[in-house]
Amino acid sequence: MINQRKRRFLQASAAAAIMAAFPRYAQAVDYVKRDPRKRPNLLLITSDDVDWSALGFMNGRRGLTPNLDSLAAQSHVFEQVRTVAPICMPSRQAFMSGLLPHKNGGNGFFPMREGTPTLCTTLAAEGYYCAASHKIGHMQPASSFPWDLKQEGKDRHPMVHADMLRLAVTEAQAQYKPFFINCNINDPHRPFYGAEDAQEIDHEQTGPYRIPRPLKAGQVPIPANLEGLPDIREEMAQYWNCLLYTSRCV
């Protein structure tokens, strides 16, 4: 009987000691380093070859890009902006690095100089979760863009960007990190919607690749520097229809 009472006493004492030590133990094995700073999440959306005349919030065509116009209505809009190059890759690398192409070394379709700092490297060093969809190959060298998550592609399916963004946000939250997400929309870009050589990329305009009410050749204005020929009117309509994709992605 004495041995049983002694055994119970020792068990109770051991349990009490464990419970007393548990808060310190739990703190010691807290593997997540929680950052007390309140830092904003950042989302950078780009799209290709957009002319101001197609954007309602830039005093262009109304109703063509309603989602983008709605976003602009609650944002700061820069009205006096210019691109630093007439092609995609050097323009993209310029605003990601904050350096003109002749300063970062990316004067054309080739990488910047190794070691060039960017938004990605700077924010990653500050503990941000960095992710990007599409145009990955146009942001080089890879050492200047250490994405935690990246998804290359030239697809026009709007859910490609949406699904990547949801996954990136979930991963950032799981790691208790703020996020920097760069969604690069491929439109408007040749081949334009409805063009003969766009059938494959548009999956023959079926399912989510189909624009419900595409603009027709007679529904779009022709820029003053172009002639109103049938082929030009047709291509301008295809170009503006690509902007409907842009708005859906947003």
Side-chain angles (χ1 to χ4, degrees):
M1 183 70 76
I2 293 176
N3 289 339
Q4 290 179 351
R5 285 199 298 268
K6 185 177 181 180
R7 188 180 298 112
R8 293 194 189 98
F9 172 77
L10 291 175
Q11 290 173 342
S13 299
I18 292 173
M19 292 301 293
F22 184 77
R24 291 192 296 274
Y25 173 77
Q27 185 176 9
V29 297
D30 185 359
Y31 298 109
V32 178
K33 184 178 180 182
R34 302 173 190 274
D35 193 334
R37 293 175 293 176
K38 299 296 183 181
R39 293 176 295 173
N41 295 313
L42 304 172
L43 172 61
L44 173 62
I45 303 173
T46 71
S47 60
D48 269 333
D49 305 332
V50 179
D51 185 75
W52 69 269
S53 64
L55 303 175
F57 74 92
M58 291 294 285
N59 294 319
R61 179 162 182 143
R62 302 292 177 180
L64 188 65
T65 56
N67 296 326
L68 191 56
D69 294 344
S70 178
L71 179 63
Q74 51 185 309
S75 307
H76 180 86
V77 176
F78 296 92
E79 295 180 347
Q80 296 295 328
V81 291
R82 301 291 185 273
T83 183
V84 301
I87 52 178
C88 174
M89 190 165 178
S91 300
R92 188 175 304 277
Q93 292 179 159
F95 69 69
M96 290 295 281
S97 68
L99 298 172
L100 293 170
H102 66 275
K103 291 290 187 180
N104 63 34
N107 288 315
F109 283 103
F110 44 85
M112 301 181 294
R113 297 186 185 92
E114 284 287 345
T116 301
T118 64
L119 273 173
C120 189
T121 57
T122 302
L123 292 172
E126 287 296 314
Y128 272 74
Y129 184 91
C130 299
S133 62
H134 293 186
K135 300 294 183 179
I136 306 300
H138 284 183
M139 294 179 282
Q140 299 294 330
S143 59
S144 292
F145 299 92
W147 305 109
D148 296 295
L149 174 67
K150 58 185 178 182
Q151 179 172 316
E152 184 60 285
K154 295 183 178 181
D155 206 305
R156 283 181 173 151
H157 195 318
M159 294 309 296
V160 170
H161 299 285
D163 290 342
M164 188 285 299
L165 186 138
R166 289 191 186 97
L167 177 58
V169 170
T170 299
E171 288 293 322
Q173 291 175 338
Q175 298 179 33
Y176 294 92
K177 289 182 176 183
F179 62 73
F180 166 52
I181 301 175
N182 177 206
C183 289
N184 300 301
I185 302 170
N186 292 317
D187 283 298
H189 195 291
R190 284 190 173 93
F192 298 138
Y193 179 86
E196 184 176 347
D197 53 353
Q199 293 300 308
E200 182 177 354
I201 196 174
D202 286 333
H203 293 249
E204 298 184 354
Q205 302 171 15
T206 58
Y209 296 90
R210 177 178 175 272
I211 295 176
R213 291 178 295 278
L215 296 170
K216 299 187 182 302
Q219 297 177 293
V220 297
I222 303 301
N225 62 316
L226 297 177
E227 297 184 39
L229 302 174
D231 287 349
I232 292 179
R233 291 186 177 277
E234 182 67 26
E235 188 171 45
M236 286 299 301
Q238 294 169 355
Y239 169 81
W240 282 34
N241 283 329
C242 283
L243 280 156
L244 296 176
Y245 268 128
T246 300
S247 188
R248 291 173 69 185
C249 287
V250 172

